[in-house]
Amino acid sequence: MKTLYLELAMGAAGDMLCAALLDLLPAAERESALEQMNRAGIPGVRVEAQQVQSCGVVGLHVHVYVNGEEEAPGDADMPAHGHAHAHGGPAHGAHAHTSARDISALIEGLDLPSAVKADAVAVYDLIAQAESSVHDRPVDCVHLHEVGALDAVADVAFASLLFHLIAPESIVASPVALGGGHVHAAHGILPVPAPATACLLEGVPSRGGPVDSELCTPTGAALVRHFATAFGPQPAMTMEATGAGVGTKAFPDRPNIVRAFCGEDLEETLGKGAAGAAGATEAGARSEVAPERLCEFRCTIDDMTGEDIAFAIERLFAAGARDAFIVPITMKKGRPGTLIEVLCAPTERESVLSTLFRHTSTLGVREYFPDRHPLERRMEKRETAHGPVSVKVSEGFGAHHEKPEFEDLAQIAREQGVSLADLRREIVGS
């Protein structure tokens, strides 16, 4: 299984995450990713990368220029705080106020794959939800301040593109270093972690320090929360590529970097080898199918009719979903809602994800990568006193199931006046 590990010992900021991910790519793919980002269509934005050092560690630093100017060096690690830009534009300027809907519309109009845009919109939805919670205002009334600046949009969109290009099956992150002290923001002097950052990191392992400075920004927190599928120490893996993203802040006694490691999960590799050996010695002893990796999507809805949800489920199956179903839930303020869950193969991921956003009112979709353990299945044709009937046989893990095809039974029942129950008893004995 292709695994990506993010070492966040110096926190998480959008530009540093982008640089670490970009550094994982071979030189040619790195240039291609930059070109794709620069023609995406963010107004006035150009992204460049430069090799730099931090306390002797070589890595990449990502520069985001808006109308030819770059954010102030002192704010480069703070894409969600303290900007005082004078670049103009609808989402960029001193204390610019931009709604989450405006940001979503900007991202949806970019020349990027639909899955990348969906991820970027979902990241901003997390930020809007955090701001809503912090300021006790409905999401629709939340106006993002510096988070909505075009350089922050570039960070989120570029990180989403790089995750898409690297395409890991599992993303594991270390506990997030938060730093300490205070930070100057549009709302005044805030403690570290800032309230929005703390809200975004609920349920995410984190720790204070190791320096008295803000290390994790709301943008970085939202990216980690959205993309990481697990948290903890680096898993056993055969590393194939490493990357380092260097921040602008300099510390005298430690490198200011985010590191990324990509490779094959060693435990799974060893497991496959053991399974192969076992299969050679136990051939025929059991009938089990190897687990398959699927994509699982979940989103919650509280403003769609039953007819519209049913139509969305129909469209999801048409888009390639293996399974799609709904669960009634209770949402904020006691409102009844609906949880939509969808399973699909990784090859159908983009189609299913874009269908979810197109045919539901969700603003964000959570993604998981579960392993599915199927029984081995085969179809058998059996002759009965009433004619041939197809039977689905499923075996494995000590289980054995037989199920006659309903349409075959129904046709015989209609033509010969036999009950479905009698036919099933005759064929499978139950």
Side-chain angles (χ1 to χ4, degrees):
M1 176 171 60
K2 188 176 184 180
T3 298
L4 174 64
Y5 181 70
L6 300 175
E7 183 187 83
L8 307 176
M10 290 299 288
D15 60 338
M16 295 172 71
L17 285 167
C18 287
L21 296 172
L22 185 64
D23 201 27
L24 285 175
L25 300 177
E29 294 180 26
R30 188 181 305 165
E31 290 303 315
S32 176
L34 285 167
E35 290 176 8
Q36 187 173 2
M37 186 63 208
N38 284 325
R39 64 170 183 266
I42 303 178
V45 167
R46 179 166 182 79
V47 180
E48 296 181 3
Q50 176 188 11
Q51 191 173 77
V52 296
Q53 288 192 22
S54 180
C55 287
V57 177
V58 177
L60 288 184
H61 178 70
V62 167
H63 300 271
V64 178
Y65 298 97
V66 183
N67 298 328
E69 298 182 40
E70 190 175 18
E71 58 192 347
D75 296 331
D77 283 344
M78 298 188 295
H81 301 303
H83 285 310
H85 296 288
H87 305 303
H92 207 279
H95 305 302
H97 287 212
T98 307
S99 72
R101 184 173 298 176
D102 293 334
I103 296 294
S104 295
L106 171 62
I107 293 172
E108 291 290 358
L110 298 180
D111 182 17
L112 291 171
S114 59
V116 173
K117 293 189 287 189
D119 280 328
V121 169
V123 170
Y124 265 102
D125 180 51
L126 287 175
I127 295 173
Q129 294 284 352
E131 292 287 346
S132 170
S133 176
V134 167
H135 299 293
D136 194 25
R137 301 184 64 189
V139 172
D140 291 344
C141 297
V142 168
H143 284 77
L144 305 175
H145 298 276
E146 294 85 349
V147 157
L150 292 180
D151 47 16
V153 174
D155 285 342
V156 171
F158 196 23
S160 299
L161 173 63
L162 291 167
F163 278 116
H164 177 75
L165 294 174
I166 297 167
E169 297 172 89
S170 174
I171 301 173
V172 182
S174 73
V176 184
L178 303 176
H182 297 81
V183 63
H184 293 267
H187 298 290
I189 298 176
L190 300 176
V192 172
T197 303
C199 183
L200 285 160
L201 290 177
E202 288 179 1
V204 174
S206 62
R207 61 181 179 84
V211 296
D212 195 24
S213 179
E214 184 190 38
L215 297 182
C216 184
T217 65
T219 303
L223 285 167
V224 171
R225 179 167 179 172
H226 175 71
F227 283 102
T229 55
F231 295 89
Q234 180 181 327
M237 59 192 293
T238 303
M239 286 190 288
E240 298 173 353
T242 62
V246 181
T248 302
K249 293 180 181 178
F251 302 103
D253 59 346
R254 67 193 71 223
N256 183 25
I257 59 173
V258 164
R259 293 203 295 174
F261 306 90
C262 192
E264 286 294 319
D265 186 292
L266 188 58
E267 291 183 6
E268 181 173 276
T269 302
L270 293 174
K272 287 180 179 177
T281 57
E282 299 177 18
R286 62 180 182 177
S287 179
E288 297 177 9
V289 180
E292 59 177 331
R293 177 55 52 94
L294 295 177
C295 293
E296 178 182 352
F297 298 114
R298 299 179 189 174
C299 64
T300 53
I301 302 292
D302 66 358
D303 57 355
M304 289 179 65
T305 66
E307 293 103 333
D308 288 355
I309 292 176
F311 181 76
I313 297 295
E314 173 193 309
R315 291 295 82 206
L316 287 166
F317 279 114
R322 296 275 190 90
D323 196 7
F325 58 91
I326 61 175
V327 179
I329 59 174
T330 302
M331 298 180 65
K332 290 181 180 177
K333 300 180 182 179
R335 295 193 302 265
T338 301
L339 170 67
I340 299 178
E341 294 198 30
V342 190
L343 287 173
C344 69
T347 54
E348 307 299 333
R349 175 185 181 274
E350 186 169 332
S351 172
V352 170
L353 186 59
S354 62
T355 299
L356 260 177
F357 280 105
R358 189 164 62 252
H359 291 288
T360 75
S361 59
T362 187
L363 298 178
V365 175
R366 295 181 293 279
E367 182 175 13
Y368 307 88
F369 296 92
D371 285 332
R372 178 175 180 268
H373 297 270
L375 296 179
E376 182 180 2
R377 287 169 286 183
R378 65 181 185 275
M379 294 296 293
E380 294 182 356
K381 204 73 168 181
R382 295 186 184 173
E383 291 296 331
T384 74
H386 303 280
V389 173
S390 296
V391 179
K392 182 185 294 181
V393 180
S394 305
E395 295 179 309
F397 301 97
H400 180 93
H401 305 289
E402 296 185 357
K403 183 180 180 181
E405 281 293 288
F406 175 78
E407 291 301 330
D408 287 3
L409 298 183
Q411 183 177 351
I412 292 174
R414 293 189 193 100
E415 294 175 352
Q416 301 183 25
V418 185
S419 74
L420 294 173
D422 287 343
L423 286 172
R424 288 195 182 95
R425 276 192 293 269
E426 181 178 333
I427 297 167
V428 299
S430 61

